[in-house]
Amino acid sequence: MNMIEAINSAHDVMMECDPDTVVMGEDVGYFGGVFRATAGLQKKYGKARVFDTPIAEGGIVGTAIGMATYGLRPVAEIQFADYIYPGFDQIVSEAARIRYRTAGEWTVPLTIRTPYGGGIFGGQTHSQSPEALFAHVAGLKVVIPSNPYDAKGLLIASIEDNDPVVFFEPKRIYNGPFDGYYERPVTPWAKHPKAQVPEEHYTVPLGKAEIVREGEAVTILAYGTMVHVALATAEAEGIDAEVIDLRTIVPVDIETIEASVKKTGRCVVVHEATRTAGFGAELSALVQERCFYHLEAPVARVTGFDTPYPHSMEWTYFPGPVRLGMALKKTLED
């Protein structure tokens, strides 16, 4: 499966085994979603369980919260992460707070799926990476898969979770892994081992990172598309880097990070989002707090710039192998 098919399969599995699971969002029903992640679900499960909504993200999220508090497990799709802001107040002020406000009497088993990130020439309104905004909010879980196998397992785990989850899908890798070498032909998922996705139910636990490449010289912390950029850069530069795919940024698997950095003594964090107050800043602080006496060099960050995402200079903004390679070499020289 590619990532779209894996996400569709996760929906299908959960709707088959749990009649309380419903899917809602703009064009998710008859049309199957703008990226076809919900294709065929309305035909199979009916309009009462897979339904289109108005173009009103605040209404989508607010309605989904109400459904969740009364026992359903809604999966709400926000068509692009750039459009999530009208629903931000509902997510932060309601979904994230209800468990605490009711002393645990009510829960909000809500999953909000949304494609995010650049690499598709979407410009400033179709390329944003707002994950750090949600990571800052107590009561939310934030999940970002990097491959089809994890996408299905993490999405099922998110739907089954009794707390609200914001599930960011890196749209640049929907149809194949992307290593940042934009001038090369696209590689389909079919050639990748993580495309071997079981048809049946399985979960990938939230809050557990994966070491996707073992190494001794430096630790690279990444998620989403940047996992593939990190792997390709380490290979191209001949660097003995350990690459960690965080998979979930809240809760973050600090134990795996700490063990790796204490082993390598160096750490580079890479993400697409803007630099200032990006999630890389939190990771850098965590590494410094827990691994200070093991660090041989300052923690480095390779990120997007503090500007809106540019259309005409996409690959300058995108944290590709050139910028990551420079950061790795500098970290190893320090």
Side-chain angles (χ1 to χ4, degrees):
M1 298 183 191
N2 62 28
M3 191 177 286
I4 295 171
E5 292 165 336
I7 289 165
N8 184 277
S9 180
H11 281 101
D12 190 21
V13 165
M14 284 305 298
M15 296 192 78
E16 181 76 35
C17 70
D18 184 358
D20 289 331
T21 302
V22 298
V23 178
M24 57 192 292
E26 299 162 15
D27 295 322
V28 301
Y30 177 81
F31 193 59
V34 67
F35 292 103
R36 301 300 188 269
T38 56
L41 296 178
Q42 187 181 80
K43 184 176 181 180
K44 185 173 181 179
Y45 295 103
K47 294 181 180 179
R49 293 186 64 195
V50 184
F51 55 92
D52 297 318
T53 66
I55 303 175
E57 287 75 17
I60 294 169
V61 176
T63 301
I65 292 170
M67 296 167 74
T69 56
Y70 278 89
L72 298 177
R73 290 189 180 272
V75 183
E77 179 182 290
I78 303 299
Q79 202 167 79
F80 286 85
D82 314 64
Y83 305 161
I84 204 168
Y85 304 115
F88 191 74
D89 179 49
Q90 291 284 346
I91 297 168
V92 173
S93 301
E94 305 299 336
R97 309 293 188 224
I98 287 175
R99 176 189 281 275
Y100 301 88
R101 215 164 68 196
T102 64
E105 186 175 343
W106 287 9
T107 58
V108 185
L110 162 65
T111 303
I112 301 171
R113 289 181 41 250
T114 187
Y116 93 111
I120 64 164
F121 286 96
Q124 61 186 358
T125 59
H126 294 79
S127 304
Q128 295 174 55
S129 300
E131 67 273 10
L133 300 177
F134 298 93
H136 182 70
V137 178
L140 297 178
K141 294 176 180 174
V142 183
V143 178
I144 307 174
S146 70
N147 60 75
Y149 181 89
D150 284 357
K152 179 174 178 177
L154 288 168
L155 182 54
I156 291 175
S158 299
I159 297 170
E160 292 181 338
D161 197 285
N162 286 328
D163 288 309
V165 177
V166 185
F167 192 92
F168 287 102
E169 300 165 8
K171 56 184 175 287
R172 183 60 179 83
I173 58 174
Y174 267 153
N175 292 300
F178 179 62
D179 57 14
Y181 293 102
Y182 57 89
E183 71 280 5
R184 297 179 182 176
V186 174
T187 303
W189 276 115
K191 299 181 179 180
H192 197 283
K194 289 286 189 177
Q196 301 302 315
V197 180
E199 296 282 350
E200 65 272 11
H201 177 285
Y202 69 91
T203 61
V204 173
L206 305 185
K208 184 61 180 173
E210 180 183 16
I211 299 173
V212 294
R213 185 183 196 269
E214 294 188 354
E216 300 288 337
V218 59
T219 299
I220 305 176
L221 304 181
Y223 50 86
T225 304
M226 292 298 111
V227 172
H228 304 281
V229 173
L231 290 169
T233 305
E235 188 68 28
E237 299 292 344
I239 294 172
D240 187 19
E242 183 148 291
V243 179
I244 297 179
D245 179 358
L246 297 182
R247 301 197 291 197
T248 305
I249 65 172
V250 178
V252 70
D253 184 358
I254 188 59
E255 290 80 13
T256 297
I257 295 171
E258 184 177 353
S260 177
V261 176
K262 284 182 176 179
K263 178 180 72 173
T264 64
R266 290 174 167 83
C267 182
V268 175
V269 182
V270 56
H271 62 64
E272 268 189 82
T274 49
R275 183 179 180 85
T276 300
F279 193 68
E282 176 65 19
L283 291 170
S284 299
L286 287 170
V287 169
Q288 187 273 340
E289 289 167 359
R290 291 170 174 261
C291 307
F292 181 77
Y293 292 107
H294 293 80
L295 287 172
E296 302 291 339
V299 179
R301 287 181 289 163
V302 181
T303 70
F305 300 124
D306 288 336
T307 67
Y309 208 115
H311 183 275
S312 62
M313 300 185 70
E314 173 103 40
W315 303 121
T316 302
Y317 184 98
F318 191 91
V322 173
R323 283 208 281 138
L324 179 56
M326 291 171 60
L328 288 170
K329 290 175 185 176
K330 184 177 187 304
T331 299
L332 290 170
E333 290 167 0
D334 286 345

